Amino acid sequence: MSIAHASGYTAVDSVEDPAALATFMDIVATCRGIDTGRRLVAEQLGLGPGSSLLDLGCGTGEQTRALATRVAPGGRAVGVDLSQSMIGEARRRAGGAGVAVEFEVGDAQALPFADGTFDACRSERMLTHVPDPRAALAEMVRVCRPGGRVAVLDADSESMIVDSDDRRLARQVVASFADSLQNGRIGRQLARLMTDAGLTVLTVEPHIISFPHDVTAVLLDTHLRRMVADGALSDEMSSAWLTEVIDRAASPVYMTLFAVVGVRERDLPA
Ligand SMILES: C[S@@+](CC[C@H](N)C(=O)[O-])C[C@H]1O[C@@H](n2cnc3c(N)ncnc32)[C@H](O)[C@@H]1O
């Protein structure tokens, strides 16, 4: 399959084929490591019947729907995403799911909710793509009630591990991939940024995602094409390197996904 560059998640509705980015999310969600991070977050959000939950940057709403079962009966699960097309797909998928969920378009950096609206707030692999992650975290804390939980699951793209004999080129590609995203090193920064946002951090757990070769091919191909277009790499070098990485069937590409959970115990910093 062919998708926009991963940086397209910053403005999904502006890419040529937003549906392909949604399909790629479905594929990534099946990669080992995502499920363990999701499970940890689900267990630590403190949800129960009657709770209210915000899933920020919800994409197609997979986790909003999954967690809606934990707040039923009487609870509220709300998914918010910047992209009209993602929210359209989330509503379509929720249609026959038999769970009570709400979806709305909104920007994580300026949420349309009053202070303390939710018992818990989560975001998954969204902060990597947000221009101002501090503003988004401040909003998550603001809309969460005192005593409520805020959980973030996000990657550290510079932690990508690639089995290549060309170590110099591997380092160059990994660093340039991380640089191409709004916040390619957000994973390692999360605990600090969440503390700065006024949370008491309870859990910091790194999980390793492993990308099988068909996923790696899609992810790296778009980035290598961009490097070639920028003149950072020749077409031949790019193809030879990608072929080497993909041919090494026994060595998936790995990346660290951080799960960080905090509680809003204190008043917000002035
Ligand atoms: C990689 S996807 C992850 C989606 C979903 N959380 C999941 O794990 O399947 C990133 C999502 O963040 C959304 N996003 C990016 N910037 C945003 C912003 N400023 N406010 C809200 N959502 C945003 C994108 O539209 C996209 O749906």
Side-chain angles (χ1 to χ4, degrees), residues 9 12 25 38 57-59 81-82 86 106-108 124-126:
Y9 284 111
V12 170
M25 269 159 43
R38 283 180 168 177
C58 63
D81 199 282
L82 186 63
M86 286 291 177
D107 184 347
E124 177 178 337
R125 290 174 294 131
M126 177 200 72

Side-chain angles (χ1 to χ4, degrees), residues 113-234:
F113 302 109
D115 297 2
T117 300
F118 297 96
D119 295 312
C121 184
R122 80 183 287 282
S123 88
E124 177 178 337
R125 290 174 294 131
M126 177 200 72
L127 288 180
T128 289
H129 304 291
V130 171
D132 187 345
R134 282 186 182 273
L137 282 169
E139 282 293 84
M140 290 174 83
V141 174
R142 181 184 67 74
V143 301
C144 186
R145 67 164 169 78
R149 299 275 169 102
V150 174
V152 180
L153 201 53
D154 228 303
D156 194 295
S157 299
E158 204 176 80
S159 69
M160 193 190 288
I161 298 172
V162 184
D163 178 12
S164 163
D165 289 340
D166 191 337
R167 288 182 291 174
R168 191 195 58 79
L169 183 51
R171 279 189 209 112
Q172 186 187 347
V173 172
V174 170
S176 132
F177 179 70
D179 287 346
S180 72
L181 304 169
Q182 293 289 328
N183 306 294
R185 296 160 190 83
I186 193 80
R188 71 191 70 179
Q189 300 167 345
L190 276 177
R192 173 172 56 82
L193 295 182
M194 288 171 70
T195 302
D196 289 353
L199 294 164
T200 300
V201 170
L202 306 172
T203 307
V204 183
E205 270 205 17
H207 298 265
I208 302 294
I209 315 175
S210 70
F211 295 113
H213 285 109
D214 50 343
V215 181
T216 300
V218 175
L219 193 70
L220 287 179
D221 179 54
T222 44
H223 186 66
L224 288 166
R225 276 194 273 125
R226 181 180 276 197
M227 289 178 77
V228 170
D230 290 347
L233 205 59
S234 73

Side-chain angles (χ1 to χ4, degrees), residues 34-55:
I34 301 268
D35 50 346
T36 47
R38 283 180 168 177
R39 221 174 300 127
L40 174 99
V41 163
E43 281 158 11
Q44 297 207 356
L45 281 171
L47 300 175
S51 302
S52 53
L53 166 74
L54 174 64
D55 183 16

